[in-house]
Amino acid sequence: MSEQKIVDLQKQLADVEEQIADLNQRIPPHSVKPVFIRQLDELEEKRDRIQEKLRQLQQ
């Protein structure tokens, strides 16, 4: 069960990292709108939570 949970979390992590990369490409170099910053912060927090869960499961 734990192995499947790890696989699921790894898939979620890959998805979130892809979303972060996509958002970084869409952020204009000048005059960054607050919505972009907020989305990026939310995605990075989600990534951090998933990484922490993975660390706990892999111990």
Side-chain angles (χ1 to χ4, degrees):
M1 178 169 156
S2 195
E3 290 296 321
Q4 184 60 42
K5 195 167 190 175
I6 290 172
V7 170
D8 291 343
L9 286 170
Q10 289 171 334
K11 287 178 184 177
Q12 289 177 21
L13 181 59
D15 182 51
V16 169
E17 288 177 339
E18 184 177 319
Q19 291 176 41
I20 289 171
D22 179 59
L23 185 59
N24 278 324
Q25 289 178 350
R26 292 187 292 130
I27 292 177
H30 304 290
S31 303
V32 178
K33 295 181 181 181
V35 69
F36 285 117
I37 304 279
R38 189 170 37 255
Q39 287 177 328
L40 187 58
D41 284 344
E42 289 171 2
L43 286 169
E44 288 174 342
E45 287 174 10
K46 187 174 182 178
R47 178 197 59 201
D48 293 345
R49 286 191 303 270
I50 293 170
Q51 287 175 332
E52 181 59 31
K53 287 179 186 177
L54 274 170
R55 274 193 290 276
Q56 290 174 355
L57 286 173
Q58 292 174 338
Q59 289 180 354

